[in-house]
Amino acid sequence: MNADLELDCRGMICPRPVIELARHVEDVPPGGVVAVVADDAAAAYDVPAWCRMRGHEYVGSDHAEDGVARYLVRRTAPPGR
């Protein structure tokens, strides 16, 4: 899946990948996709949980070209918009 923004979080440990996601999710328009590339195993749980808590859509995961996990998040519109 193509992403509008890809965050390279390799080498970052929990909770840094989710912090980076929170900092940059609004860099894409509603409906846009942010990819978080992270080699920390906790990201597989943290990214979907963050999406549930913040109301964004967790699209799923795939892999970057080097085989590192890539977590895909679709930004939702703020409530009422």
Side-chain angles (χ1 to χ4, degrees):
M1 170 179 264
N2 289 332
D4 299 291
L5 175 64
E6 184 167 291
L7 303 175
D8 183 358
C9 297
R10 291 173 182 89
M12 295 181 188
I13 59 171
C14 178
R16 283 287 309 279
V18 170
I19 290 171
E20 291 301 309
L21 174 58
R23 288 182 58 212
H24 293 285
V25 72
E26 291 186 10
D27 292 350
V28 301
V33 174
V34 178
V36 179
V37 180
D39 51 10
D40 180 28
Y45 304 99
D46 293 346
V47 173
W50 181 87
C51 290
R52 285 190 304 273
M53 291 176 4
R54 300 291 183 218
H56 297 288
E57 178 187 355
Y58 178 66
V59 178
S61 64
D62 60 13
H63 293 90
E65 288 184 18
D66 62 356
V68 173
R70 194 170 165 257
Y71 305 97
L72 303 162
V73 175
R74 185 178 321 279
R75 179 183 172 200
T76 59
R81 294 188 189 211

